[in-house]
Structure formats: C-alpha cells, structure tokens
Amino acid sequence: MSNFNKKQVKSKDVKGIFKRLCRYIFSYWYLFILAVIFTLLSNQLSLLGPKFSGDAIDALAAAGGVNFDVVWTNTAKMLMCYLASAVMSYVLSVTMIFMSQKIVYTMRRQLFEKLTSLPVGYFDTHPTGDIISHISYDIDTINSTLSHDLVQIMSSVYIVVGSIVFMWNISKPLVSVFLITVPASVIFTRYRAKKVRPLFSKRSKKLGELNGYAEEMLSGCRSIQAYSREEEIGRRFNERNTDSMNAYYIADYYGCMIGPTVSFINNLSISLVMMLGGIMYMLSQNGIAVVGSLFFITLGGVAQFVQYSRKFAGPISEFANIFSELQSAFSAAERVFRILDEHPETPDSDDAVSLDNVEGEVKFREVEFGYTPDKTILKGIDFTAAPGKSIAIVGPTGAGKTTIINLLMRFYDISKGEITVDGRESREYTRKSLREAYTMVLQDTWLFKGTIFENIAYGKEGATIEEVKAAAKAARIDSYIEGLPDGYDSVLTDDGVNISKGQRQLITIARAMISNSQMLILDEATSNVDSRTEIKIQEAMGELMRGRTCFIIAHRLSTIQNADLILVIKDGKIAEQGTHQELLDSKGFYSTLYNSQFS
C-alpha cells in the first residue's frame, strides 16, 4: 500500500481523526492545561453541593428536632459552591473559545496553504464550491465541537467519576443499579455509532455537492437568463437540495435516537435508585437487621445519592445528545484531513537549478501526454521555438492547444518525450523560476478585489505608478482609467464584475506588459474585445512581444498572420506547421480554417 493510501485509511479511522485533532489541541497546551484546571475546580465545587444539601436534610430530620444552625450553614456552603462553580464554568468556556479560535485559524491557514500547493489537476477534478465548503462549513463544524462539545466531554468525565466516588461512599448496594444500566447505555451508543457515522459523512458530501452546483450556476447567471433556463436550473438545484435535505434528515433522525434512548435508560436507573433507596431507608428506620451496616442509609443519604445519580446520569445523556454533533465534526475533520493528506505538486529534484538569464529557446521532443492513463491527448509533439520568435498554435476545440500551455508551465508533467528550455530539460529547473520566466494572458480574465493600480502592478513586484501608467497606455486602457473618478485608485470588485469584460481583458494585458518575463503565453488574449479595439491591441501586442518568445493560442486567425511559426494541432498531433503564407499555399487544413473565416 502506498504512503498516500495509508494516510487515507488513517483519516477514515475515528481514532486516527481523534489523535490528529488532539495534536492541534496540544499545540496550545498551556490553554488546555488551564481549561483542565478550571474544569476540575468547577465540577468539584458542583459535586460538593449535594453533600451539603444532604447534611442539611439530615439536620431537618434530626431526632432532637431541627438543628437550624447546621441547616443554614450547609445551605450557605451549598450556594457558595454552586456560585463559584458557575464562575469557573464561565472562565472555562471563555478559555475554550479562545483556544478553539486559535486552532481553527491554524487549520484554515494550513488548509489554504495546502490548496495553493496542490497541482492544477486537483482543481480540475474538484468543484470550487465543494472546496469552499471545506474551508468554511467543515472548519466551522470542527470549531463548534472544540469550543463547546469538548468542554462538555471534559466536564462529563469528571462529573461521572466524581459522582461514582461520592455514591460509593454513601451506599455501595445502590451503586449496583448502575452495573446494569451503564453497560446498556454504552453498548447501545457504540452500536448506533457504527450505523450513524456513514450517514454524517454522506451528509457532508451532499452539502459539498450542493455548494459546488450553486457556485457554478451563480457564476453563469447571465447565460442562464439569456437562454431562459431558470426553471430547468431551479429544478436541478431542487434535486440537489432535496438530496442534501434528505441526507441531513436521515443523519439527524438516526442520530437523535441515541439521546432519548440513553435518557430513558438513565431515568430508569434513577427510578430504581429511588425505589431501592426508599426500601433501604425504611428498613434502617425500622431497625430490621441486615448484613452489618451495609444497607443502612439516612434520608439525607438517599437525597444525596439521588442528586449524585442525576449528576452521574446527566453527562451520559448529554453526551448521547451531542453524539450527532461529534459525528458531524468527525466527518468534517475527515474531509479536511483528506485534503491535507493530498500529495502536493511533485517536489523539485534535489539538483534542480534556477532558470536565470532566460534566452527563451523552447523545444518539444516527441512529447506525449494524457490527463488520465487511458486517454492520450498529445501524441508525438515535436517543434522548436527559437528565442524571440512567436509560435502560434491553432486547431479545433479539444485538439490539445491549451494542454501544450499547461505543459510549458509544468502544471502537468509529460508522460513521454522531453521539453527543454535553453537547452535543459524543464524538470531540471525549479518550478518557481520556470513559471516566473513566463507571463500569461488568458481568455478567462482574473482580477482580484483591489485598486486598478494593484491589479496591474501584480505583474511586477514593486512596480511604480509610472510603470503602471506606461503599461496601461501600451494596452490602450489608460484613457478609460484616467476618466474614472478615482483613476488608478478605483476599486475593482471581485473578478472585476463592475467593469466590462473587454476592459478586464485590457487590464490583464497591461499586467502582462509590466512584467519582465522573457517568454509570453497568450491564450485567446484578444477574444473579448471588439474588432476596432483589437487593431489597437495588436499594435500594443507587437510592442509587448518584441524580443520575447511568444506562444499564441488563437481562434481568430487574423491575429496570428505575422507569427514566425504556426502549428496546426489536430487529434493531438501536429498536422501542419509553417508560416501563414506557407500554410495557405499548401492548401491544407489551415487554409480551410482561414478561408472559412474570411470567405
């Protein structure tokens, strides 16, 4: 079994998940120790209350009459204990909330850092909404358990143990009642746990699917309305919503059965205690001889035992009631740990070197690649991109054009063959330096929430306002920016939805222009601008491309007529290659594509 599989098996084991959560808790051991101290003090004071209550009852039923001094003294002690216990419980809750927030912060940071280290292929196969569900819902579920349920569990353990000690000292025969009821509660809880836990895992999965679908549909709301598909999309959402609701209902339904059942068993044990205690008290009062003093008990003793039995049964019932929350937390933790256990991108080799002083020569030698082992996308791709030259890649949809770009950036590693940059195999370079050698302008623009200046300056660390303005001018977007009330300080909303798509693309082109990378990748970079703007962009792009090795993916063949080399990709192979005129003269597939656009 591989190391990956071992981790996956461990993450699905409840004990393994619990141990991993404990590591996070113990990383803040000082807060945990403080919480334990407050737990001990709070619950010890709470356990003393019934003792003083029982002593006060015995003073009421004293043979010589009511001893009011003893009654008032024990009542005052009881009240003081309960008040101090409440204060300690408050401090305990605050401590646990503070600790849980630190743990959640650490988990979210680790999860996000892990996601940024995963290969692109992971995001190609996992819906964005499901990933966001891990960061938000799953982490929040774990936080709820750490801040509330963990306090309850620690208190319950101490209360149960302390109650048994006090009850044992009061009456050993009465304790025998719990020898029957407690094992019954434990056996039933363990049995239901095995049945219920998969239901909570399914619940988390269905919620992730619902979030993924909602995110996908909301991002495409314009297309949905344009095609009047609101009803169909609503129907599909309702199907997933129903699946999620049913998963929640089934998990909670079978989970909530545990609490009432355990409560019934505990109430039954208290009833038996009261019956047996009453019989023992009457025997003790009537002086009926029993084996020694084993069965002797006072009225106060009975009252104390009943109160302790309630304290003993209460935590067991509460644990059964929070059982569903624990199951949900373990399922959420399993999903989080599953991501943390994912393999990041293949690390750079120990002898990997930095790609410095880039010249820009790129060679593909008999390259083969497929996203899955059973389907090869690229088959024997072979070409050379000389330094400073432009390589255009054209072909029908699905031919493998974007795949070539993914291999250039090492988002994926090739299956066979070789890709060299400046005479060295690309895998011999560090990924960071290899990717920094390229600048990408994609068809799908990406802008973040921030000023226009920040979005353009993203292409060069420490860029000045003069450099940003020069890049914007070259991209033919400067007049638009300067016409805005706040100019370059204008804030773009998420992904720049408050400006047009063409303007977003121009800003990403300006971002590329400010970069000093020696190699350039243009993936349909002018697809979202009108023909008039495209002419201006082509002039700017000519300036941008001068002296750089450029890889251009284009469906508008008018944008690549001046390329030094055009590769025609068809069925994963290079069907034709040459200059624009050479390919037209050959009367091949390229000529057919070109004539279909301009005939």
Side-chain angles (χ1 to χ4, degrees):
M1 182 182 292
S2 66
N3 186 51
F4 172 80
N5 288 334
K6 287 180 180 178
K7 289 183 177 180
Q8 289 296 313
V9 171
K10 183 178 179 181
S11 71
K12 291 184 178 182
D13 177 58
V14 175
K15 292 182 180 179
I17 295 172
F18 180 72
K19 289 179 180 178
R20 295 183 70 167
L21 287 174
C22 285
R23 293 194 199 110
Y24 286 97
I25 295 172
F26 293 150
S27 62
Y28 298 98
W29 57 269
Y30 50 94
L31 291 174
F32 183 70
I33 290 177
L34 191 64
V36 171
I37 293 174
F38 284 124
T39 299
L40 296 177
L41 292 175
S42 173
N43 289 291
Q44 182 60 39
L45 290 170
S46 176
L47 287 171
L48 289 174
K51 179 181 184 303
F52 296 128
S53 173
D55 292 342
I57 291 174
D58 282 338
L60 288 172
V66 179
N67 189 336
F68 286 102
D69 289 339
V70 175
V71 171
W72 289 115
T73 300
N74 282 282
T75 302
K77 289 180 180 179
M78 179 182 65
L79 292 175
M80 290 293 293
C81 285
Y82 285 141
L83 179 62
S85 176
V87 172
M88 293 293 180
S89 295
Y90 171 76
V91 177
L92 170 63
S93 297
V94 172
T95 303
M96 290 303 298
I97 291 173
F98 184 66
M99 185 182 74
S100 69
Q101 288 302 313
K102 283 184 168 292
I103 293 173
V104 166
Y105 171 83
T106 301
M107 292 186 75
R108 275 209 176 98
R109 175 178 56 79
Q110 290 178 348
L111 185 60
F112 189 80
E113 290 175 352
K114 183 68 176 187
L115 288 169
T116 59
S117 71
L118 293 177
V120 172
Y122 180 86
F123 301 96
D124 290 341
T125 56
H126 291 76
T128 302
D130 191 33
I131 296 174
I132 294 175
S133 179
H134 291 308
I135 300 175
S136 57
Y137 170 77
D138 289 338
I139 297 291
D140 285 341
T141 301
I142 296 171
N143 173 47
S144 177
T145 293
L146 292 177
S147 60
H148 300 99
D149 297 340
L150 186 60
V151 173
Q152 188 63 54
I153 292 172
M154 289 193 302
S155 299
S156 296
V157 170
Y158 189 83
I159 288 291
V160 167
V161 174
S163 297
I164 289 178
V165 172
F166 277 95
M167 288 189 295
W168 181 262
N169 291 331
I170 295 170
S171 174
K172 296 177 179 60
L174 289 179
V175 175
S176 62
V177 172
F178 295 102
L179 296 178
I180 301 173
T181 57
V182 170
S185 298
V186 172
I187 292 172
F188 177 77
T189 302
R190 287 180 60 86
Y191 169 75
R192 295 305 302 171
K194 295 179 181 179
K195 301 291 184 181
V196 170
R197 188 167 179 274
L199 300 178
F200 281 91
S201 297
K202 183 179 180 180
R203 188 181 81 167
S204 298
K205 179 183 177 182
K206 290 297 180 182
L207 179 64
E209 292 176 355
L210 179 65
N211 288 340
Y213 183 79
E215 189 274 337
E216 181 184 359
M217 292 303 104
L218 290 174
S219 63
C221 61
R222 288 183 178 85
S223 297
I224 293 171
Q225 293 178 1
Y227 287 95
S228 300
R229 302 287 288 176
E230 293 91 342
E231 290 186 6
E232 176 64 18
I233 295 305
R235 183 187 65 79
R236 294 179 183 178
F237 178 84
N238 288 336
E239 289 178 355
R240 289 165 173 79
N241 193 19
T242 300
D243 290 341
S244 177
M245 180 192 68
N246 289 337
Y248 262 77
Y249 174 78
I250 293 173
D252 289 339
Y253 174 78
Y254 287 101
C256 71
M257 290 175 61
I258 298 175
T261 304
V262 173
S263 295
F264 170 76
I265 296 174
N266 289 332
N267 289 332
L268 179 62
S269 66
I270 293 174
S271 299
L272 293 174
V273 164
M274 296 178 69
M275 291 173 58
L276 182 59
I279 294 172
M280 290 174 57
Y281 173 70
M282 288 189 294
L283 293 176
S284 300
Q285 290 298 105
N286 293 329
I288 298 176
V290 293
V291 181
S293 61
L294 183 64
F295 289 87
F296 178 81
I297 192 169
T298 64
L299 182 61
V302 174
Q304 289 183 46
F305 198 96
V306 170
Q307 291 183 66
Y308 281 120
S309 65
R310 288 188 177 278
K311 283 186 172 292
F312 175 82
I316 297 178
S317 298
E318 289 173 0
F319 179 79
N321 289 326
I322 66 173
F323 178 78
S324 61
E325 297 177 16
L326 291 175
Q327 292 296 307
S328 182
F330 280 130
S331 297
E334 179 185 336
R335 283 159 52 86
V336 171
F337 292 147
R338 188 181 296 126
I339 293 182
L340 293 177
D341 289 341
E342 286 282 354
H343 282 306
E345 284 189 307
T346 306
D348 297 325
S349 59
D350 295 335
D351 56 351
V353 298
S354 178
L355 177 55
D356 301 318
N357 303 318
V358 182
E359 295 180 6
E361 181 189 61
V362 179
K363 293 183 180 181
F364 273 55
R365 290 289 176 262
E366 299 298 326
V367 171
E368 292 189 6
F369 172 77
Y371 292 102
T372 58
D374 59 332
K375 186 177 181 181
T376 302
I377 303 297
L378 298 180
K379 307 165 186 175
I381 300 298
D382 196 302
F383 69 88
T384 298
K389 300 298 181 180
S390 58
I391 309 298
I393 307 172
V394 301
T397 300
K401 302 184 296 298
T402 302
T403 300
I404 291 177
I405 302 304
N406 287 336
L407 297 181
L408 284 172
M409 296 290 291
R410 278 199 71 193
F411 292 145
Y412 295 89
D413 282 329
I414 59 177
S415 305
K416 292 182 182 179
E418 181 181 64
I419 300 176
T420 63
V421 179
D422 291 346
R424 186 187 288 265
E425 221 281 335
S426 62
R427 284 174 288 193
E428 296 178 8
Y429 294 114
T430 60
R431 274 196 183 85
K432 185 175 185 296
S433 65
L434 177 67
R435 291 171 181 172
E436 287 178 346
Y438 291 94
T439 294
M440 295 184 69
V441 180
L442 304 177
Q443 178 180 6
D444 297 326
T445 57
W446 176 75
L447 298 174
F448 55 85
K449 186 175 182 180
T451 65
I452 292 178
F453 170 81
E454 291 170 338
N455 273 275
I456 296 177
Y458 189 82
K460 181 181 179 181
E461 188 174 356
T464 64
I465 184 63
E466 290 77 15
E467 291 175 314
V468 169
K469 287 182 176 180
K473 185 176 182 179
R476 307 300 194 269
I477 191 66
D478 59 317
S479 59
Y480 168 76
I481 297 174
E482 291 169 358
L484 296 172
D486 296 324
Y488 287 88
D489 291 327
S490 300
V491 176
L492 301 177
T493 56
D494 294 338
D495 206 20
V497 295
N498 56 336
I499 61 176
S500 72
K501 200 166 187 179
Q503 290 159 350
R504 295 204 297 269
Q505 194 130 49
L506 291 172
I507 290 177
T508 60
I509 291 173
R511 178 193 294 166
M513 287 182 170
I514 204 173
S515 173
N516 294 323
S517 302
Q518 187 60 29
M519 295 182 288
L520 182 66
I521 294 174
L522 305 173
D523 187 354
E524 292 289 341
T526 61
S527 63
N528 292 319
V529 297
D530 57 75
S531 299
R532 185 177 179 181
T533 307
E534 181 182 345
I535 296 174
K536 297 179 180 180
I537 291 297
Q538 288 302 319
E539 297 173 359
M541 297 295 279
E543 182 67 26
L544 172 65
M545 294 164 60
R546 184 174 297 131
R548 298 185 180 189
T549 304
C550 301
F551 297 89
I552 310 164
I553 294 179
H555 286 291
R556 291 185 185 180
L557 302 187
S558 60
T559 63
I560 60 167
Q561 294 181 16
N562 296 324
D564 296 297
L565 177 65
I566 299 175
L567 303 177
V568 182
I569 306 296
K570 187 178 180 183
D571 298 327
K573 299 179 181 179
I574 298 179
E576 303 172 37
Q577 60 178 304
T579 64
H580 171 70
Q581 192 59 48
E582 289 172 348
L583 293 175
L584 285 181
D585 294 340
S586 68
K587 305 294 184 181
F589 184 67
Y590 178 83
S591 176
T592 303
L593 287 176
Y594 185 81
N595 290 328
S596 66
Q597 290 187 14
F598 297 100
S599 59

